Amino acid sequence: MKNGKFLIAPLLLWLGIFFAIPLLIVVVVSFAGRTPYGQVIFNWTLENYVRFFEPLYLSIFADTLWVAVLTTVFTIILGYPLAYYIAQLPKKWQQPGLILVMIPFWINFLIRSFAWVIILRSQGVLNTLLIKLGFITAPLQLLYNDTAVMVGMVYSLLPFMVLPIYVSLEQLDRRLLEAAYDLGATPFTAFRKITLPLTLSGISEGTILVFISSLGMFIVPEIMGGAKAALVGNLIQNQFLSARNWPFGSALSIVLAILSLVLITIYYKALAAGKGGGKDA
Amino acid sequence: MIRLEGISKRFGDQVIIPPTDLTVNEGEFLTLLGPSGCGKTTLLRMIAGLETPSSGKIFLADKEVTDLPPYRRDVNMVFQHYALFPHMTVEENIRFGLKMKKVDLQEQDKRVEQVLAMTRLQDLRHRYPKQMSGGQQQRVAIARALVNNPKVVLLDEPLGALDYQLRKNLQLELADLQYDLGITFVYVTHDREEALTMSDRIIVMNKGLIEQDGRPGEIYHRPGNEFVAKFIGETNFFDLGDGLTTLLRPEKLNLCPEEGDDGAHPAPHFFGTITDVVFYGTIDKVFVDLDGSKQEVVAYQYFDDARKWRMDERVGIWWYPQDEVKLSK
Ligand SMILES: Nc1ncnc2c1ncn2[C@@H]1O[C@H](COP(=O)(O)OP(=O)(O)O)[C@@H](O)[C@H]1O
Ligand SMILES: [Mg+2]
């Protein structure tokens, strides 16, 4: 017991230095004001939080939530079949399959996002191809709209969905499916009644990862969404970098963090209630 | 009820089961008995439709089912490790097959109740599999198969994971259940005692081949070959000089003092020296080295206060001629 506590000490130190202290600073700054030149002055005010309730900011938060929900839904729709496909490959091909899913992660995120720009822009790969093939005559506006943001978000967060789902599928006991067939279930029914419920844990882990990550996403909207598609992530980034309003930026960060926590809590509560509690007892 | 015609199974270029014929009669408790890895599970899975035979035909109630998927065959399997659905309660597990077959709700309720009562699971109906002991899970697995009223129930070492005492009790329960319901059972086990206690008929398998097919008594007392004789229980092999191998179960061997006794019994065939006496409860296992050969034989002797056999004692070994089983060499 003593030993355990001793071993965990460095971890606590680490958390303290890199998580608790920065968080504390952000909390403190969020209650501060600023001079016209962007200097932070500590005058203990709620004005930053009041400002958050202006319609402009509320609507950005609402947009962000909506985009996060859509991103999550699309990553599930695309990620589940992909994970399923990998999980049913012969054992020796599963590892390479997963690596293929992961490979994009080995390349800098910015570069990958710009690669999408090259594919989707007016004179880009996709438009050129479509024109050459005669499907369209004028280039489509594929970039700098909500769809482009969605494509970028889903693309970049897909692995976060695929991996946990893959793990849950991998752990699924194949004999349960055989038992279901034996009891008269067609493969589709067996999927619905056995596979899907027993891999919900993977989906829910993926959902948390993707949802939280997309709430804070700012690079994708910035590069692929143009000026119009600002999300909370961009808003916060702007407060710190261009508007030089650190207190407001801090307040927005805190609101986002609290929002995430509340949503996660509700989500887990709902999940636990849905399960009926017996499953893992 | 079931007929296999020339059924065989290869995995890759490995022949697990060479072409085999087998008939299972209606209402019969048939046991496939054989050492681990001899292909019992594979054979069962082919009947269930979970494995495709490499050749041959399978008939179920005179209808060919060789190419039917498992969900279209009127058989149900009790899996070796139960394969209960972990996210469903006992009752939901049991009801699953009825739902799949779209049995009407009232009938579902009725049959579930019946089976719950039969397997004494009424009080556990809302439990999840993980909240139950091995023996209880085992009963759920059986209930889940029986509730469908299948033509045949296939059981793959259903008691294999349980401890000895529980296994003994469940063996009897299961045999009674089968007798009462009259459903055909095909039961797989590598436990000879289990096979002997429960079955109407036993198929002894070895390396995918059927070594013998017979009633428990026949298999035990009249083994058809050396493999069966050895697998089904301890056996002594003798060469009596008639060109055949003579086989005697240890309980058929009797001991007498070297100088003879006053009992009326056939004269001893062999003499020897006792090397060991092992206490086994109702019997003593007496090991005897035969004179003039290195052969050691084992005889079971009922515990008898008046006559205890001791190490290093000189004894004669005799038996009744009708207990001999002759095998060609
Ligand atoms: N899917 C499979 N692929 C390759 N070999 C298998 C497969 N299933 C079983 N076997 C082999 O077939 C043989 C018989 O297996 P099994 O039917 O499970 O035996 P038993 O149930 O009698 O113990 C074993 O040698 C096993 O390794
Ligand atoms: Mg087996």
Side-chain angles (χ1 to χ4, degrees), chain B residues 107-124:
Chain B
E107 175 72 11
Q108 279 189 22
D109 289 342
K110 201 183 100 203
R111 285 215 235 160
V112 170
E113 283 317 314
Q114 264 175 9
V115 174
L116 281 172
M118 198 156 55
T119 47
R120 300 197 317 276
L121 287 165
Q122 295 105 318
D123 297 340
L124 302 174

Side-chain angles (χ1 to χ4, degrees), chain B residues 41 80 156-157:
Chain B
T41 298
Q80 191 158 12
D156 191 0
E157 312 220 11

Side-chain angles (χ1 to χ4, degrees), chain B residues 234-246:
Chain B
E234 263 181 306
T235 309
N236 299 294
F237 296 92
F238 296 102
D239 185 351
L240 301 180
D242 54 1
L244 299 169
T245 301
T246 303

Side-chain angles (χ1 to χ4, degrees), chain A residues 175-176 178-187 189 193-194 197-198 278-279 281, chain B residues 45 70-71 76-77 79 81 83-87 97 100-101 128 130-131 144 148:
Chain A
R175 289 172 297 194
L176 296 180
E178 294 190 335
Y181 301 149
D182 184 71
L183 291 165
T186 59
T189 311
K193 298 272 183 183
I194 310 295
L198 288 176
K279 191 176 138 190
Chain B
R45 287 170 57 85
Y71 46 90
N76 284 114
M77 186 138 166
F79 288 81
H81 298 285
L84 299 180
F85 305 129
H87 57 305
M100 292 301 109
K101 295 195 187 67
Y128 285 87
K130 273 186 192 156
Q131 301 166 324
R144 189 176 67 171
N148 304 295

Side-chain angles (χ1 to χ4, degrees), chain B residues 317-329:
Chain B
I317 297 175
W318 62 270
W319 60 77
Y320 293 104
Q322 68 266 27
D323 290 334
E324 291 177 359
V325 177
K326 301 282 190 187
L327 295 177
S328 53
K329 282 193 180 168

